[in-house]
Amino acid sequence: MALLCVLYYSAIFPFQKYAVNMLQCNLTFTEVPADSFWAGNTVTIIQYCIMLVVAAAAFASNFSKQKNMKFGLQIIAVVALVVFCYMGYMRQSAETIFAVFPLLAVGITPILGNYVDHKGKAASMLVLGSVLLIACHLTFAFVLPMFKGNAVGGVIIAYMTILVLGASFSLVPASLWPSVPKLVDKKIIGSAYALIFWIQNIGLWLFPMLIGKVLDATNPELVEGLNNGSITPEQAAVSYDYTAPLVMLACLGVAALILGFALKAVDKKKGLGLEEPNIKG
């Protein structure tokens, strides 16, 4: 469980550090006029408010008992999400595009947690999260670069992949953390969580450095150009090839997927109850 945690989170959190630059290197942006509404601070505040609407409506819809209210909140969340994405596109900024990452996770995490409580299948959800993680990183590596020069198509692919990655991210906490008490005695549950976080933080320390090393090793012409001054840092910043680092992160997902299947096998053999609901009777 600890190894699965470190592999999965190491493919998410270090990626967030490089994601904006990866989008800058693979998407085609046009400069927004300085006096435009889309270049001002007001649009940032508006987009932040829309983000809160998406999060609040999606979260509240999970707890509404009235079908009409539930459906209405979901419609509000979807419409607000579309508006948020449109504004991100109009701002022509990689930062605002990647800002959509947590929004789908906010809406579906309570659903997934409720599902684990009442239906179980925690180990299966860990496997599904790994599959989605692999698919997203491979899409960033091989599909997104194909749309460079296509201003609309590239942004649509980026938004869809980022949202799915956010959904994948929500699968892990909703299924992994509630499973730990099933694996250890309740007297040492604090030590168990401490061990998992200790191992996780080793990965979060190591993999950002590895991504940087792989990025430099696979873009030697940019490193050489920066060293001899033939290209500027600004030019280099939008010219990196992120294929190798993204494939490396996808491999972490493959390793997590293998561990997920191993966990399911151990659970079936020893009856750990990882696939069983938390609420019984």
Side-chain angles (χ1 to χ4, degrees):
M1 186 72 79
L3 289 174
L4 202 156
C5 177
V6 70
L7 288 169
Y8 190 87
Y9 280 114
S10 293
I12 292 288
F13 289 127
F15 169 72
Q16 289 179 280
K17 176 181 175 66
Y18 290 90
V20 171
N21 184 239
M22 183 275 295
L23 293 176
Q24 291 171 335
C25 294
N26 287 298
L27 296 176
T28 302
F29 294 107
T30 57
E31 186 175 355
V32 177
D35 60 347
S36 169
F37 166 76
W38 302 108
N41 292 327
T42 303
V43 68
T44 303
I45 298 173
I46 294 174
Q47 209 171 9
Y48 180 75
C49 293
I50 293 174
M51 179 185 291
L52 293 178
V53 171
V54 174
F59 189 81
S61 69
N62 295 309
F63 302 98
S64 176
K65 296 182 179 180
Q66 297 181 359
K67 290 186 177 181
N68 290 338
M69 178 65 73
K70 186 182 185 72
F71 182 71
L73 289 170
Q74 290 173 344
I75 291 295
I76 292 172
V78 171
V79 171
L81 178 61
V82 172
V83 173
F84 182 89
C85 292
Y86 172 76
M87 296 181 75
Y89 167 73
M90 291 301 296
R91 295 183 69 183
Q92 291 292 291
S93 165
E95 293 90 342
T96 56
I97 289 176
F98 190 70
V100 78
F101 172 72
L103 292 188
L104 187 58
V106 168
I108 69 172
T109 300
I111 299 175
L112 297 173
N114 184 67
Y115 185 86
V116 170
D117 285 340
H118 291 88
K119 302 294 184 181
K121 305 298 181 183
S124 297
M125 288 171 63
L126 291 172
V127 169
L128 177 59
S130 299
V131 171
L132 294 178
L133 177 71
I134 296 167
C136 289
H137 282 313
L138 292 180
T139 299
F140 284 131
F142 298 108
V143 178
L144 188 61
M146 297 170 58
F147 286 84
K148 190 172 179 63
N150 186 335
V152 177
V155 171
I156 291 175
I157 294 295
Y159 269 136
M160 291 176 61
T161 310
I162 293 168
L163 286 169
V164 173
L165 186 64
S168 168
F169 180 59
S170 69
L171 281 164
V172 172
S175 54
L176 187 148
W177 303 119
S179 299
V180 176
K182 297 180 179 180
L183 305 178
V184 298
D185 191 283
K186 63 181 180 179
K187 292 184 292 185
I188 57 170
I189 190 69
S191 297
Y193 279 121
L195 175 64
I196 292 176
F197 275 104
W198 177 69
I199 296 175
Q200 174 187 316
N201 285 325
I202 292 175
L204 298 183
W205 159 77
L206 176 63
F207 280 99
M209 293 191 297
L210 283 179
I211 294 174
K213 294 292 185 182
V214 172
L215 197 59
D216 285 344
T218 54
N219 293 272
E221 69 287 349
L222 293 181
V223 175
E224 182 180 355
L226 286 171
N227 290 334
N228 61 30
S230 61
I231 60 174
T232 66
E234 290 77 15
Q235 291 173 322
V238 295
S239 303
Y240 283 101
D241 181 357
Y242 271 86
T243 302
L246 289 167
V247 170
M248 182 185 74
L249 295 176
C251 289
L252 294 182
V254 172
L257 179 62
I258 294 171
L259 283 176
F261 281 119
L263 188 65
K264 282 173 64 70
V266 172
D267 175 57
K268 185 176 181 180
K269 181 179 180 180
K270 297 189 175 183
L272 301 175
L274 296 181
E275 294 285 78
E276 297 178 4
N278 297 324
I279 300 174
K280 299 180 180 179

